Structures are given as C-alpha cells and as structure tokens.
Amino acid sequence: MKRRDFVNLSLAGGAVTSLRPSTAGPALQPAPRVQDFELLEATVASLQEGINSGRWSSRQVVEMYLARIEAVDRRGPGINSVIEINPDALAIAEQLDGERRQGRSRGPLHGIPILIKDNIATADRMQTTAGSLALEGLVPPQDAFIVERLRAAGLVLLGKTNLSEWANFRSRSSSSGWSGRGGQTRNPYVIDRNPCGSSAGSGAAGAANLAALTIGTETDGSILCPSSANGLVGIKPTVGLWSRAGIIPISHTQDTAGPMCRTVSDAALLLGALTGRDTRDAATTPSAGRAEAAYERFLDRDALRGARLGVMRKHMEISTKTERVYDEALKALTAAGAVLVDPVDFAPPGPLGEAEGEVLFHEFRAGIDAWLSTLGSASPFRTLADLIAYNEANRSREMPWFGQEAFELAAKAGSLRSPKYRTALATCRR
C-alpha cells in the first residue's frame, strides 16, 4: 500500500470514533468521514509545478490547507496538532502571488505553506507560548532568525503547532504532545497512540498533510522521535547550522530547530533555506557563507550503496509487532545497497545520563531567565521561579496530569560557572 492510500484510510475510513482533545480528559465522539484531499502528499516540487502552470494560486493552496486543518485537525479525527492559525496567512499568500505575476520569485519555496512549533518566536498577530498558559497572549518583540529566513524565502506561515509543554522540559512524567494551552495532540495514523516527542504537533500535522512543510525543535529526540512515529523525514541539524535566536531555550549546547517533512528532497530544501550566520547566536559563526546552502544538490538515490550501518538490538524495549516493522525497514536499507552490521551492542549510558541531566538543568535555568529578560513588558514573568509559582497557582489547568519536577530541579541548579556544571559538561563532551 502506498503512503497516500494509507493516510487516506487512516483519516477517513479508519476513524469511526475520535478522541476529542480536552484538558479535562478525552471523550469518544463520532467522527465524520474525511473526503480525499487534492494536495494529499504534495511535495514542494509538485506544488510549484501546479502554481506555475496556473492550476492553483498560492492563496488557493493556503485555502485548501486551512480547510484541511478545519476538517481533520479541529473536527473529523480531531488530531489537535495546530495550536493557532496565522490570521495573515491569506494576505501573505496574495502578496506572494502578486510577486509571481510580476515575474519575481524568491526561490523554490516561494508561496509554499509551512507550520512551525509554538516555541519559535513570531512578531506578528500570533502568540508564542511553548504551550504554556503562563505565556498566553505573548507576542515577542522580534521574529526568531529562522522565521526571518523563512519569510525571506517566500514561505507562507500558516500557523503554530502544538507541543509537549515547554518542549517537554517541565516534568519527567509528561505525555508527548500535551500542553496546558493546546491539550493533547494525537497520532494521525492511530489516534489513540502516542505522536512522540515534544515536536508532536509538527510531526502529526506533517503526516496528516496539514501543510507542505513543518518545523520542530530538538534537544533530545524531539525532531527524530515524532518524525519516526509519524512517518516523516526529520533532520536535527548540527547545532549552529540554524540559529536558535528567538526560540524558547532548554540547552544552548544541544538545542536546534530542524525540518520535519514528508520527503528527503523537501527536507533538504528547507534545511538550506534557513541556514546562515546570525549575530544573535554565536554558534552560527561557522555557517557564515552558507546562507541558502543548496543541500538538495547532494541528493543521490544510490547514497546508501556501500554504507555500513550498525543495527542496535539490545536496549530497544520494542514489541514483537514493532520489531517486525523494524526488520522490514532493515530489508529496505539492504535493498538500497547498505551493508548492515547486525547486531551491534552499546554499553548502557551509565554516568553519561546523569551528567547530561546536570547540564540540561543548569542550562535551562540560565537560558530561560535570559530569554524572559528579552521580553520586557510583553511578559509578567522574569525568572523560572515566577513560572513555577504560576503553575502552582493554576494547578488544576496546568498540572491536571503531571507536575513540574524538571522545573523544580532546574531551579535548584547553580550557575554556569559552578564546578558541578563544568564537570558534567566536560564529561558529556568527552
């Protein structure tokens, strides 16, 4: 079965009932059948071909995706992956259509719709909240650098996606894809299953064809896990390839945003378009001269031929069903020419996990306080301690399912000059 057919069956015939998202807990309700979607599995190339040929305008493409979001995300199966729609999306599309009529194009992404995670700042009529009710109504004073880049590339920002609140750094017992503001995101393939990772909304929205492209962020697995669970191509760029300026932080040594797309080609296009040096993020210095890098030129159908890939079997903790799918994927890699070393074993991380935890707690405390200080009057909160107090005061809405022990541990962490942090960071780097 082709992916296109599977997506259609999952969202149309497969959803006899739907789990309606609610912070008060899910309730089963009937879900109407979802009609076939003209842009199902559309790629950047196919959208550009359709727009250039006059089949659609960029505005019409945006209208179709907005209707899809209403039918599939808000109603129908109720995936609940889009936390907010950009009220200016149609106007942006019309402007880009006008540029195209005048013979001007900003590049291969001109007029293509995109959804981004709600921890990425936009200085427009949308909020940037990391899914937290504490930041409801917050409009940062400046776009994130990657948002500046995507606007310059001619992408149409459709809206923001839901996420695990605070990018899954509030509790060790959290549910992937749940936030106080957005409720629970669901996996579009099986809506009572986990969408995985803090970029759950971007993963579910991309899989359900709610936009041509999506963007997530990752500290530890939050691009790769939802991409895996939702059948997408996820790339965690080298830290510093994409600027982190304007992205709500966890760890300045590990954080980055990255593409989450349905094809390798689209992921490569997006990766290049948002690459470049940003004076607000020193980690991007090595990216000087790489602005709009054409990574798609490296695409090669035979790229896996002769590549040696280690196959991990131990420590996987997967079911028999999942292992069968895993083995089918390995067969596909072999058919593509890869040489599998099966199995390989890795020692458990041991003290590395503890050391990384110390790094994250220290860096989160320093990073979130610094980020809050950039907001000025836009936010009533100045420190992590203020956010902890807000959550306690609003426990019934913010913590109905799990607490904030990660916040509390970070609040007890020392400064970035402390010997404990320096030792832990050195251990991780070594």
Side-chain angles (χ1 to χ4, degrees):
M1 178 183 288
K2 292 182 179 179
R3 177 192 159 104
R4 171 190 292 267
D5 301 325
F6 186 71
V7 171
N8 240 2
L9 283 172
S10 299
L11 294 179
V16 178
T17 59
S18 78
L19 291 170
R20 292 291 185 179
S22 168
T23 54
L28 290 170
Q29 296 185 18
R33 291 181 64 86
V34 180
Q35 299 301 315
D36 199 2
F37 178 50
E38 188 175 354
L39 303 180
L40 194 69
E41 298 298 277
T43 64
V44 169
S46 66
L47 288 172
Q48 290 291 9
E49 182 182 359
I51 295 171
N52 287 327
S53 69
R55 181 179 180 184
W56 314 299
S57 65
S58 181
R59 180 189 169 104
Q60 288 171 324
V61 169
V62 168
E63 287 174 338
M64 284 188 277
Y65 278 120
L66 291 177
R68 174 77 167 179
I69 291 170
E70 182 64 26
V72 170
D73 204 58
R74 305 283 170 87
R75 302 183 185 181
I79 297 166
N80 198 40
S81 63
V82 179
I83 201 169
E84 185 171 6
I85 294 293
N86 184 0
D88 298 319
L90 290 174
I92 294 169
E94 284 183 353
Q95 177 189 339
L96 293 165
D97 281 334
E99 292 179 12
R100 195 185 295 266
R101 285 193 297 270
Q102 295 168 8
R104 292 187 290 130
S105 173
R106 303 189 191 188
L109 296 173
H110 187 105
I112 302 299
I114 189 169
L115 287 164
I116 68 173
K117 191 175 175 180
D118 183 40
N119 60 346
I120 302 171
T122 57
D124 52 16
R125 292 200 288 162
M126 289 189 290
Q127 307 168 59
T128 301
T129 69
S132 172
L133 296 172
L135 300 184
E136 232 176 358
L138 174 69
V139 177
Q142 185 176 359
D143 277 344
F145 179 81
I146 61 170
V147 173
E148 294 176 358
R149 298 285 301 167
L150 71 84
R151 294 192 201 276
L155 286 155
V156 181
L157 182 49
L158 275 187
K160 301 280 190 80
T161 55
N162 196 24
L163 68 162
S164 306
E165 188 172 311
W166 293 105
N168 211 22
F169 203 75
R170 200 193 81 188
S171 171
R172 290 174 169 176
S173 305
S174 61
S175 168
S176 288
W178 185 92
S179 71
R181 180 181 168 219
Q184 179 66 54
T185 295
R186 310 190 188 283
N187 190 311
Y189 290 106
V190 188
I191 62 172
D192 63 350
R193 296 301 176 95
N194 198 319
C196 196
S198 78
S199 301
S202 295
N209 289 257
L210 306 186
L213 308 167
T214 65
I215 290 175
T217 66
E218 176 166 326
T219 303
D220 261 333
S222 287
I223 289 173
L224 301 185
C225 183
S227 295
S228 173
N230 293 278
L232 299 181
V233 179
I235 299 174
K236 181 181 182 182
T238 301
V239 171
L241 194 66
W242 280 14
S243 169
R244 286 84 54 81
I247 300 175
I248 299 174
I250 294 176
S251 162
H252 67 264
T253 56
Q254 293 182 218
D255 290 349
T256 184
M260 298 175 67
C261 307
R262 287 186 297 277
T263 69
V264 177
S265 298
D266 286 354
L269 275 173
L270 188 56
L271 181 66
L274 274 58
T275 293
R277 187 183 180 193
D278 176 15
T279 56
R280 291 186 283 162
D281 185 354
T284 63
T285 300
S287 289
R290 293 187 184 176
E292 299 180 9
Y295 289 105
E296 63 273 17
R297 73 183 187 274
F298 299 114
L299 297 177
D300 179 2
R301 290 185 180 275
D302 291 324
L304 284 175
R305 195 160 303 285
R308 287 169 56 81
L309 303 178
V311 180
M312 190 172 180
R313 296 283 183 180
K314 292 180 68 175
H315 318 299
M316 294 283 285
E317 298 181 3
I318 60 176
S319 68
T320 302
K321 275 186 180 180
T322 303
E323 191 161 15
R324 285 199 293 268
V325 176
Y326 186 55
D327 287 338
E328 287 300 314
L330 296 177
K331 290 177 184 177
L333 291 170
T334 301
V339 177
L340 301 186
V341 182
D342 185 5
V344 296
D345 191 18
F346 298 93
L352 286 179
E354 183 179 341
E356 189 201 16
E358 287 295 339
V359 170
L360 296 184
F361 291 135
H362 282 77
E363 292 187 356
F364 179 73
R365 178 181 176 179
I368 204 67
D369 285 358
W371 179 78
L372 288 169
S373 72
T374 68
L375 300 176
S377 60
S379 171
F381 305 103
R382 294 291 176 267
T383 66
L384 176 57
D386 294 339
L387 296 172
I388 291 172
Y390 175 89
N391 290 338
E392 284 294 344
N394 295 273
R395 176 173 284 273
S396 62
R397 296 191 303 151
E398 269 293 351
M399 299 193 288
W401 311 113
F402 49 86
Q404 57 178 342
E405 58 272 20
F407 269 21
E408 290 162 351
L409 287 167
K412 296 174 183 176
S415 76
L416 298 184
R417 295 185 298 274
S418 71
K420 191 172 188 178
Y421 168 72
R422 290 176 179 273
T423 299
L425 182 62
T427 298
C428 290
R429 285 180 169 164
R430 185 172 62 253

